[in-house]
Amino acid sequence: MDNKPVVLVTRKLPDAVEIKLAEHFDVILNPEDKLYSSDELLQLATRADAILPCHTEKFTAETIALLPTRIKAIANFSVGVDHVDLEAAKQKQVIVTNTPDVLSDATAEIAMLLMLGAARRASEGERIMRTQQWKDWSPAFMVGQQITGKRLGILGMGRVGQVLAQRARGFNMCIHYHNRHPIEDKLAAGAVYHDSVEALLAEVDVLSIHCPASLQTKGLINSQRLAILHSNAIVVNTSRGGVVDDDALVNALKSGSIAAAGLDVYNGEPDDINPEYSHLDNVFLLPHIGSATHETRNAMGYRAIDNLIAIFNGEVPKDRVV
Ligand code: 8YV
């Protein structure tokens, strides 16, 4: 059909998503999954009416200012929008959408995995097995911490935080949280609200970070706040690396002021991460795979498509951020 809007897809998306996109739009795909520079992105954007990017493409104020005027929307394949300068998009009247809800289960699963992996020394155990270093068993061998019945502190009780709370209740964990405001009692389901990050940290055995990256949350988990946690505490991050001060976390892990961490997100990812993490035994590390399930990646794609369809129908997309 003629006159379909043109959508620039910056990364290789699941086949089913690309097929569905092509039913509604003319698409510029990236079958090689090449990571575009800003210049390449801007060049390709001259042929498009909307962009469907991942968090790997940075839409700084400068890049947004240079976007061709025909670009109507940035329909992200992500729930996080910290890679987009939202104020610049607003100024330029470019609509920005994200893909909430559909990745909450997958991300909460990864938070559970990180929590268990950090508590039960999974990284060390894996390494011993893979390097064929397992020589002995003793009652003191690889003893870690039990999660069952412990106090879980959720920093940012949004969609992912709430799903994690449900899963953790299956481990009889007692849920504490901090948010800008308490959530409805029905959603809190008995979780204890703390009106400051500090108050939360003082009461928990595991801290799981679920707040978005923003100017307000940058470096929020710093040395002063880490010092509030007790020495058996575990820190889990599936949100964004920027919420944590890496030097402070590395120091806390090295000094034993906390016991362990499970991390899926980092400052400088993918290839400029604080190298100290890889030398520490008491961290369980994953490469930003919170939403990496077939089910969720398809659902994220469909959600972005629904947003684009609404935009080009002149409607307000369900997940409009700007
Ligand atoms: C996504 C994420 O896979 O949605 C997010 O914000 O962090 C990830 O789980 C990624 O951003 C895709 O663009």
Side-chain angles (χ1 to χ4, degrees):
M1 208 210 298
D2 284 344
N3 296 330
K4 284 191 206 164
V6 182
V7 175
L8 166 62
V9 183
T10 63
R11 304 301 301 265
K12 173 78 188 92
L13 297 184
D15 289 344
V17 173
E18 292 190 347
I19 289 167
K20 189 158 188 233
L21 250 179
E23 288 168 11
H24 298 272
F25 303 100
D26 279 336
V27 282
I28 305 171
L29 298 177
N30 180 359
E32 307 292 326
D33 203 23
K34 179 179 190 298
L35 184 61
Y36 297 136
S37 67
S38 298
D39 285 349
E40 288 168 322
L41 192 70
L42 288 167
Q43 185 54 42
L44 287 162
T46 57
R47 293 160 40 208
D49 300 299
I51 306 177
L52 198 168
C54 291
H55 77 276
T56 44
E57 284 69 57
K58 309 292 175 224
F59 289 89
T60 60
E62 198 189 358
T63 302
I64 289 177
L66 292 170
L67 281 176
T69 45
R70 70 180 274 192
I71 294 290
K72 228 175 153 173
I74 299 171
N76 290 294
F77 182 87
S78 67
V79 64
V81 287
D82 49 297
H83 57 290
V84 181
D85 187 317
L86 298 179
E87 194 45 47
K90 198 172 166 184
Q91 294 301 322
K92 188 142 172 142
Q93 296 184 330
V94 173
I95 297 169
V96 179
T97 60
N98 67 345
T99 58
D101 303 318
V102 290
L103 39 62
S104 305
D105 286 336
T107 308
E109 280 183 9
I110 287 290
M112 278 314 291
L113 175 62
L114 291 172
M115 193 192 315
L116 291 166
R120 300 302 297 271
R121 304 172 58 174
S123 234
E124 275 176 88
E126 253 270 310
R127 198 166 330 119
I128 288 170
M129 295 307 292
R130 286 186 185 275
T131 54
Q132 299 176 8
Q133 295 297 308
W134 187 27
K135 303 289 180 226
D136 190 18
W137 185 95
S138 84
F141 177 60
M142 288 226 32
V143 175
Q145 298 194 58
Q146 198 151 301
I147 282 302
T148 303
K150 295 281 166 67
R151 298 165 301 173
L152 169 62
I154 298 180
L155 180 56
M157 192 65 145
R159 300 172 186 89
V160 181
Q162 288 172 36
V163 176
L164 177 65
Q166 283 171 19
R167 303 294 175 266
R169 285 188 189 102
F171 282 75
N172 282 339
M173 296 188 87
C174 179
I175 313 300
H176 294 246
Y177 75 100
H178 169 68
N179 232 20
R180 269 175 302 178
H181 307 289
I183 58 171
E184 278 174 49
D185 286 354
K186 197 170 140 234
L187 297 176
V192 182
Y193 177 68
H194 296 268
D195 62 7
S196 68
V197 183
E198 289 77 7
L200 177 74
L201 296 176
E203 288 294 325
V204 298
D205 303 303
V206 179
L207 171 72
S208 192
I209 300 168
H210 298 282
C211 52
S214 67
L215 281 177
Q216 290 73 37
T217 61
K218 191 169 169 46
L220 186 67
I221 300 305
N222 57 18
S223 53
Q224 291 87 339
R225 294 202 173 96
L226 285 166
I228 302 172
L229 289 165
H230 65 67
S231 60
N232 281 328
I234 293 169
V235 172
V236 168
N237 191 6
T238 52
S239 167
R240 283 291 183 267
V243 181
V244 172
D245 174 338
D246 285 321
D247 289 340
L249 181 57
V250 164
N251 285 340
L253 289 160
K254 271 185 170 171
S255 69
S257 90
I258 65 167
L263 306 175
D264 185 48
V265 288
Y266 310 85
N267 287 294
E269 60 183 58
D271 55 2
D272 190 25
I273 293 168
N274 189 320
E276 299 273 353
Y277 285 128
S278 61
H279 303 305
L280 293 173
D281 265 343
N282 53 349
V283 289
F284 184 63
L285 306 173
L286 293 175
H288 199 148
I289 56 167
S291 67
T293 65
H294 295 297
E295 295 87 341
T296 289
R297 289 282 157 85
N298 281 341
M300 290 166 73
Y302 298 148
R303 191 95 175 205
I305 294 173
D306 287 347
N307 286 324
L308 283 166
I309 291 172
I311 290 165
F312 286 104
N313 279 340
E315 295 156 14
V316 177
K318 190 170 170 192
D319 306 313
R320 183 167 186 169
V321 181
V322 158

